[in-house]
Amino acid sequence: MANEKVEFQVYNSMTRQKEVFIPKEPGKVKMYVCGVTSYDYSHIGHARAYVAFDLLYRYLKYLGYEVVYVRNFTDVDDKIIRRANELGEDPTALSGRYCQEFLKDMDDLQCLQPTHQPRVTEHMEQIKEMIAKIMANGCAYTINGDVYFSVDSFPEYGRLSGRKLEDNRAGERVEVDSRKKNPADFALWKSAKPGEPSWESPWGPGRPGWHIECSAMSAHYLTHSFDIHGGGMDLTFPHHENEIAQSCAACRESNISYWMHNGFVNIDDEKMSKSLGNFFTIREVTRLYHPLALRYFLLGNHYRSPVNYSISQIEIASESVFYIYQTLLDSEEALSAFQEGTETAKNAKGRVTPQAQECINKLRNELKTKLSDDLHTPTILNAALQEALKLMNSCLTILKKKQQKQQHLSASLSLTELLKEVKAVLDVLGLLAGSTCAEVLQQFKERALKRAELTEEDVLHAIEERALARKNKDFARSDQIRTDLAAKGISLMDITGTTETAWRPCVRSIQEQPIAPAQPKKSAAAVQEQPSSPAQPKKSAAAVQEQPVAPSQQKQPSAAPQQEQPAAAPAQQDHPTVPPQ
């Protein structure tokens, strides 16, 4: 079953169905994803899109394809100019700064660098050449230095979104201009206004319209015919619809095989929108939660489904990733100690247990079958990966106990192979950090302290106070200290066989929290109004126990699922018969 050939299928927005992926050129894939307009910090809607397409990029490479991945920057635009004027800053300098901030966010989220990241201001010649071709083909016209695309010249306009021209009302997503032949006509070139950046052109000084840039840059790097064009669902109309029209107008052979779109983000069961003030930048989230937790949360939902962002969801994701890395670290340390303590371990001919081999085969098979089914990530995270981690912890338990050498050797070999396979899966999912496991866990702990508004000294002092209470048999006080810390997201763990107590982050037991990870200032980031279709999050108690507990198995619908939340384990008490006060 592990060697069974699986066909990669993707959902094509153009045909509205899943299709077997067949690249235009065998072994090679060309893909273009619409990038950000760089005038502010990127928000979690951007994270949703670029994590989804980073996963696609990684998986195509995993399948052995040679991939050319292009993701652009819009670095000249009305929003950029408006924001620069507000700040009294040069538009080019402002957009350049936010391009770099975006790249930092992408690095934090483990998104691989695309092959090319073109900027509009560096491709004016290609844009003007494409506009000239469109005009030469009779599909555009000029009015006082402005150039408009004539939608009436393209009978197939609306085939991607399913909208008809008569459905478009003036002023709805398309700029109202009484000079236009059809209210739906859109700008290819905008004449210069005083104080705005402009470039010389055959139609006079000005700058490009928004839509033409992607058509020109994708054609420049990938030709007019390539495999995948992606972006957020909100770009289907008018952006991608207009791209198709103008690209075909410039080149009759223009053809894109698969159009792929990711779903929206909702915030605490409400649509994410600027007017509601409930959208958050990636930076606001990662200040209090590790970027891997945000990526894990996003991958816990099918990329086409709506995703509901809430404190409880991101905390459970954080707990899950901490558990993964704690298991990895424990395994690395145990294997290192076993190898050092057993002279024959390196040369011994032992066998991986049948249970471990079956688990490895299942994890490998699930990765390929689920990702080949339109990048279905939730099942991998919530089933196959959790089973592997659970078995790794079972192997760790065997290595800690006094067992026969053959049992230890078998557990060691099984753990080695499980560790290798789990890391391979995490790498494909983009969840394998470049830092050591110990460093990642420390980063999680630092953010947990920040959320709890505590220092590590505060926690250590509480541990000492609790130890004294236990010594004095004041179990009510001991329980209360532990419960109070758990409510703030700090779990205390008594190390078996010692008098030591360690701490780790956990899901906070108090759920009456602000909907944002921080109290953010309202950002000028562009956020599209999005329909709400969220999952209903369950409330969770704090998970407090010695060995990190894997999230419980989650049920997933068969199509475009949303993540359900596993319930964390109830907080332990130091003395069951004495309730905390």
Side-chain angles (χ1 to χ4, degrees):
M1 187 174 182
N3 297 321
E4 181 182 347
K5 182 175 175 59
V6 180
E7 291 183 320
F8 181 32
Q9 296 188 65
V10 297
Y11 184 86
N12 190 345
S13 300
M14 180 66 77
T15 61
R16 294 166 180 76
Q17 64 183 5
K18 280 194 286 190
E19 299 176 355
V20 175
F21 178 73
I22 303 174
K24 293 181 181 294
E25 185 178 352
K28 297 183 179 181
V29 177
K30 296 178 181 179
M31 60 182 285
Y32 184 93
V33 175
C34 293
V36 294
T37 300
S38 53
Y39 69 99
D40 204 345
Y41 290 105
S42 298
H43 52 72
I44 57 177
H46 294 131
R48 178 78 193 291
Y50 302 122
V51 165
F53 288 104
D54 177 70
L55 174 66
L56 174 61
Y57 183 34
R58 287 173 176 273
Y59 189 55
L60 288 168
K61 290 168 66 113
Y62 173 78
L63 292 176
Y65 289 107
E66 178 184 328
V67 186
V68 178
Y69 174 19
V70 183
R71 185 184 67 206
N72 74 295
F73 282 108
T74 297
D75 61 345
V76 58
D77 179 85
D78 290 337
K79 298 183 181 73
I80 295 171
I81 295 169
R82 190 180 308 119
R83 182 70 185 277
N85 289 338
E86 291 172 357
L87 300 177
E89 189 173 348
D90 176 69
T92 302
L94 179 136
S95 62
R97 186 173 75 255
Y98 282 116
C99 284
Q100 294 305 312
E101 297 293 352
F102 169 82
L103 292 175
K104 182 182 184 306
D105 286 336
M106 293 301 102
D107 285 344
D108 288 345
L109 290 171
Q110 300 293 310
C111 291
L112 299 175
Q113 290 277 337
T115 315
H116 303 287
Q117 298 190 82
R119 302 188 185 192
V120 174
T121 55
E122 298 170 354
H123 294 79
M124 285 297 167
E125 292 308 311
Q126 290 84 0
I127 292 170
K128 287 185 285 186
E129 286 174 10
M130 179 168 275
I131 294 174
K133 289 179 182 178
I134 295 171
M135 292 194 67
N137 290 333
C139 298
Y141 55 94
T142 61
I143 302 176
N144 300 327
D146 293 322
V147 181
Y148 288 100
F149 182 87
S150 174
V151 295
D152 291 325
S153 68
F154 189 65
E156 294 182 291
Y157 188 81
R159 63 179 178 174
L160 177 65
S161 63
R163 295 177 61 140
K164 299 178 181 179
L165 279 178
E166 53 266 30
D167 294 335
N168 299 328
R169 297 192 301 273
E172 188 178 83
R173 289 182 176 264
V174 180
E175 184 180 356
V176 177
D177 189 336
S178 59
R179 303 174 302 163
K180 294 191 292 186
K181 296 179 180 179
N182 185 317
D185 292 350
F186 55 90
L188 299 176
W189 188 261
K190 296 182 177 183
S191 59
K193 296 179 182 178
E196 292 186 353
S198 64
W199 288 259
E200 290 299 325
S201 80
W203 318 285
R207 55 187 171 85
W210 176 35
H211 313 293
I212 190 65
E213 63 188 52
C214 286
S215 289
M217 289 188 286
S218 62
H220 177 69
Y221 289 96
L222 305 175
T223 75
H224 284 278
S225 180
F226 57 94
D227 300 296
I228 298 170
H229 195 312
M233 201 172 290
D234 55 308
L235 297 181
T236 305
F237 185 89
H239 187 53
H240 289 163
E241 199 72 78
N242 291 352
E243 274 194 67
I244 293 170
Q246 64 200 8
S247 293
C248 291
C251 176
R252 297 184 189 279
E253 289 72 38
S254 177
N255 177 264
I256 297 168
S257 300
Y258 306 92
W259 287 86
M260 298 179 67
H261 295 91
N262 63 275
F264 295 125
V265 175
N266 301 300
I267 305 293
D268 274 351
D269 302 341
E270 289 188 296
K271 63 182 179 181
M272 185 174 75
S273 72
K274 185 176 179 181
S275 61
L276 293 175
N278 69 341
F279 69 96
F280 313 111
T281 65
I282 297 169
R283 206 67 60 87
E284 286 167 344
V285 176
T286 57
R287 185 179 75 86
L288 293 180
Y289 296 93
H290 199 285
L292 284 174
L294 179 55
R295 185 178 179 107
Y296 185 97
F297 160 70
L298 294 170
L299 292 176
N301 299 265
H302 188 268
Y303 80 94
R304 285 191 291 113
S305 71
V307 56
N308 186 56
Y309 176 86
S310 66
I311 288 295
S312 58
Q313 289 273 22
I314 194 69
E315 292 220 346
I316 290 173
S318 182
E319 172 88 350
S320 298
V321 181
F322 190 93
Y323 164 66
I324 291 172
Y325 273 85
Q326 187 66 65
T327 302
L328 296 182
L329 178 62
D330 291 345
S331 299
E332 290 174 350
E333 292 179 343
L335 290 171
S336 177
F338 181 78
Q339 294 291 346
E340 292 174 2
T342 309
E343 294 181 3
T344 59
K346 295 181 180 179
N347 301 318
K349 295 182 179 179
R351 290 185 176 182
V352 173
T353 65
Q355 183 184 11
Q357 191 59 58
E358 182 182 356
C359 184
I360 289 168
N361 291 342
K362 181 178 180 181
L363 181 57
R364 189 176 298 158
N365 184 67
E366 286 286 283
L367 178 73
K368 198 158 188 177
T369 56
K370 297 305 179 184
L371 289 187
S372 289
D373 183 15
D374 195 31
L375 304 177
H376 199 288
T377 51
T379 304
I380 301 169
L381 293 178
N382 300 322
L385 180 60
Q386 299 305 324
E387 290 177 22
L389 294 168
K390 183 178 179 181
L391 186 54
M392 288 171 72
N393 278 301
S394 296
C395 292
L396 286 168
T397 299
I398 294 173
L399 291 176
K400 291 177 183 177
K401 293 180 178 179
K402 292 183 178 180
Q403 302 280 0
Q404 294 181 358
K405 288 184 179 179
Q406 192 61 33
Q407 289 177 305
H408 271 181
L409 180 59
S410 182
S412 173
L413 292 172
S414 297
L415 184 58
T416 299
E417 294 305 310
L418 282 164
L419 179 62
K420 185 189 304 181
E421 193 63 32
V422 165
K423 283 188 173 182
V425 169
L426 293 175
D427 188 36
V428 176
L429 297 175
L431 291 169
L432 190 63
S435 308
T436 66
C437 293
E439 289 171 338
V440 172
L441 291 170
Q442 182 59 33
Q443 291 162 6
F444 269 83
K445 293 178 78 171
E446 288 169 358
R447 284 172 170 82
L449 290 171
K450 191 175 292 186
R451 294 194 298 272
E453 298 182 338
L454 297 171
T455 64
E456 188 153 20
E457 289 73 22
D458 294 332
V459 176
L460 296 178
H461 177 74
I463 289 174
E464 291 175 1
E465 185 181 351
R466 175 173 170 268
L468 180 61
R470 296 177 75 190
K471 182 179 179 180
N472 295 332
K473 299 189 184 302
D474 186 356
F475 297 113
R477 177 58 185 154
S478 173
D479 280 344
Q480 190 63 52
I481 291 170
R482 177 176 235 171
T483 300
D484 290 345
L485 286 175
K488 294 182 178 181
I490 305 296
S491 170
L492 300 185
M493 302 169 294
D494 298 317
I495 309 301
T496 303
T498 73
T499 58
E500 296 179 9
T501 298
W503 73 272
R504 61 181 291 272
C506 69
V507 177
R508 289 179 283 183
S509 59
I510 299 175
Q511 293 299 312
E512 290 73 20
Q513 304 164 33
I515 62 170
Q519 294 298 328
K521 296 178 181 178
K522 289 191 177 181
S523 167
V527 181
Q528 296 292 337
E529 296 286 335
Q530 303 171 359
S532 60
S533 181
Q536 298 296 327
K538 302 174 185 176
K539 295 194 175 181
S540 167
V544 184
Q545 43 199 56
E546 181 178 340
Q547 191 64 253
V549 177
S552 61
Q553 304 304 314
Q554 300 177 352
K555 296 179 181 179
Q556 297 292 341
S558 58
Q562 295 178 344
Q563 186 182 38
E564 294 180 10
Q565 296 186 36
Q572 294 178 345
Q573 294 182 358
D574 293 314
H575 196 294
T577 60
V578 182
Q581 295 180 348

